[in-house]
Amino acid sequence: MKPVRLAVIGGGHLGTIHTKLARQNPGFRVVAVCDPQPLVQQRVIQEFDLRAVSNWMKIIGEFDAAIIATPTATHHEIASELIRHGVHLLVEKPLAASGREAEELVALAAEHCVVTQVGHVESFNPVVQQVTRLTGQPRLVRAWRHSGYSFRSTDVSVVFDLMIHDIDLAAELLGGEAECVEASGTTLFGPHPDIAEARIGFSAGGTAVLSASRCDPQPCRRMQVFGTAGAVELDLNSRSVMAWQIPADWPDRRAGEDLLDPARQTWYRENLFSEVFPTRQLVVEAANAIALEQADWLRAIRGGEPARVPASRGLRAVNIAETIEHKVRNCLWNQPLAKPLETTPERVQLPVRSKPGRRKAA
């Protein structure tokens, strides 16, 4: 089978990673990297010995598939034109800058029968793939995704930059539609929120509580999932999993009168995660999630099957992220009060009230 001719659009951090990994996959033949910056073009030529062009339009027709790793604001324009040319796409997350733009891309991809994968790469993280096997049906997802300020993706907020990974995972794990959203956050380095906290209720009955920050000195990518059969705590950086499962007879024991006995309460308290809900530590073998993502996209292109993370799933994540961002921007923690409070208490005069039953003489 002939390799799929591939163009990488965007030669920055992610574009470079995609280029390197795609060149290692015999199913792809990278024909060019497209980037308007001369210095990036020069680096591509020196590092990969590849053709570098300033605009993908110059080589349209020379590639069958493209990876879009450009700023989010450009995704809709580039992707819509490529779809009209019948080019299969892997669009880095988020799919687009707004729900309206993402919805248009979903419709276009369906109309032109183009395979469109969205770069929610955590779906290919081997650690994440352990979740439902260990928890049963998830009911509560808690996630923390914190990092320092990388000076990348500064055109979007932390919601579209970092939190959207966990939005996608939570929506996929919990199922249903997002019915209610509460969120708040703050800015620190620029015009877009850099810290955000969100609580999302889904129609299937699950809840997600998400925290994202790009102002944290301690990087963190953690997730807890509580389900009908147990719970897991995932460290997505170290690829470690701590899991405990609920014994089949636990509901009967919980209803027993022994839990009312102080001695039994002490035993449960001291042995809860050793005897009742025994925990175990799993270490998942290392795997390159982006390489797995590219391989799944290639499988979908060749087999005509849906990609694991299709455009419709990217649309769902964008819609939820847009709602969160709207609420964050309307409830920024560092927003000044409309009228500053008086800072000198001695100047504040309370109204004088006359005592009841005493009237001024006429």
Side-chain angles (χ1 to χ4, degrees):
M1 191 175 292
K2 289 184 179 180
V4 173
R5 298 178 302 170
L6 174 67
V8 178
I9 303 175
H13 176 71
L14 276 174
T16 299
I17 294 173
H18 275 293
T19 301
K20 179 180 179 181
L21 294 174
R23 281 167 57 86
Q24 296 171 4
N25 188 328
F28 291 117
R29 180 169 68 86
V30 183
V31 299
V33 176
C34 312
D35 195 287
Q37 299 184 44
L39 288 178
V40 173
Q41 296 173 30
Q42 184 179 358
R43 177 176 55 76
V44 167
I45 295 170
Q46 292 176 346
E47 185 175 349
F48 298 112
D49 191 23
L50 278 173
R51 183 181 179 188
V53 298
S54 60
N55 193 315
W56 59 267
M57 287 293 290
K58 294 181 178 180
I59 58 170
I60 194 67
E62 298 182 27
F63 55 94
D64 312 299
I67 296 173
I68 299 177
T70 59
T72 301
T74 67
H75 285 188
H76 177 264
E77 180 182 359
I78 296 172
S80 57
E81 283 300 317
L82 287 171
I83 290 172
R84 290 187 179 97
H85 283 86
V87 176
H88 301 293
L89 297 180
L90 195 168
V91 184
E92 264 304 334
K93 60 80 193 166
L95 175 59
S98 70
R100 179 186 59 80
E101 290 184 350
E103 191 170 0
E104 289 178 5
L105 292 180
V106 170
L108 271 176
E111 178 185 349
H112 292 271
C113 299
V114 165
V115 175
T116 304
Q117 174 103 279
V118 184
H120 290 293
V121 71
E122 294 289 19
S123 291
F124 299 89
N125 190 324
V127 173
V128 173
Q129 294 173 7
Q130 302 291 319
V131 172
T132 53
R133 182 178 68 83
L134 298 169
T135 66
Q137 175 58 47
R139 288 288 181 254
L140 172 65
V141 173
R142 298 195 295 184
W144 300 263
R145 191 171 293 262
H146 298 177
S147 72
Y149 200 75
S150 67
F151 293 91
R152 296 192 304 269
S153 300
T154 56
D155 61 320
V156 295
S157 74
V158 72
V159 178
F160 277 84
D161 180 18
L162 298 182
M163 185 181 281
I164 198 162
H165 283 296
D166 298 317
I167 291 171
D168 172 69
L169 288 178
E172 191 66 12
L173 289 169
L174 297 171
E177 300 296 324
E179 286 191 326
C180 58
V181 175
E182 300 173 3
S184 58
T186 189
T187 60
L188 186 63
F189 292 110
H192 304 294
D194 296 308
I195 303 173
E197 308 281 337
R199 183 183 183 91
I200 311 163
F202 289 88
S203 59
T207 301
V209 182
L210 311 179
S211 172
S213 169
R214 50 190 182 191
C215 310
D216 203 311
Q218 298 297 326
C220 172
R221 288 167 61 209
R222 286 178 55 231
M223 176 175 282
Q224 292 178 333
V225 182
F226 297 84
T228 54
V232 295
E233 179 164 340
L234 315 175
D235 188 317
L236 301 175
N237 284 329
S238 66
R239 300 183 303 278
S240 65
V241 180
M242 185 180 74
W244 57 263
Q245 293 182 286
I246 302 173
D249 61 343
W250 169 242
D252 293 333
R253 284 164 48 186
R254 182 175 56 187
E257 294 183 359
D258 61 336
L259 290 183
L260 302 178
D261 179 70
R264 295 296 292 168
Q265 289 179 9
T266 300
W267 183 90
Y268 276 117
R269 188 164 51 246
E270 294 176 351
N271 298 278
L272 188 61
F273 292 106
S274 59
E275 299 291 337
V276 185
F277 302 145
T279 61
R280 51 189 175 129
Q281 193 79 28
L282 309 176
V283 177
V284 180
E285 290 186 11
N288 191 304
I290 295 180
L292 294 174
E293 174 185 59
Q294 290 184 357
D296 181 76
W297 179 47
L298 178 63
R299 173 200 56 78
I301 292 172
R302 285 180 165 172
E305 301 173 7
R308 184 182 296 181
V309 188
S312 57
R313 183 167 156 182
L315 167 62
R316 178 180 62 186
V318 168
N319 280 336
I320 298 173
E322 196 170 41
T323 301
I324 292 172
E325 173 138 330
H326 176 75
K327 290 182 176 290
V328 167
R329 289 187 182 277
N330 283 291
C331 188
L332 287 175
W333 292 332
N334 63 349
Q335 235 175 10
L337 294 170
K339 287 186 177 182
L341 294 174
E342 177 60 65
T343 56
T344 52
E346 63 274 9
R347 294 178 58 187
V348 177
Q349 295 189 4
L350 299 175
V352 178
R353 296 181 181 180
S354 58
K355 294 182 179 181
R358 299 184 61 182
R359 296 181 178 228
K360 198 172 181 180

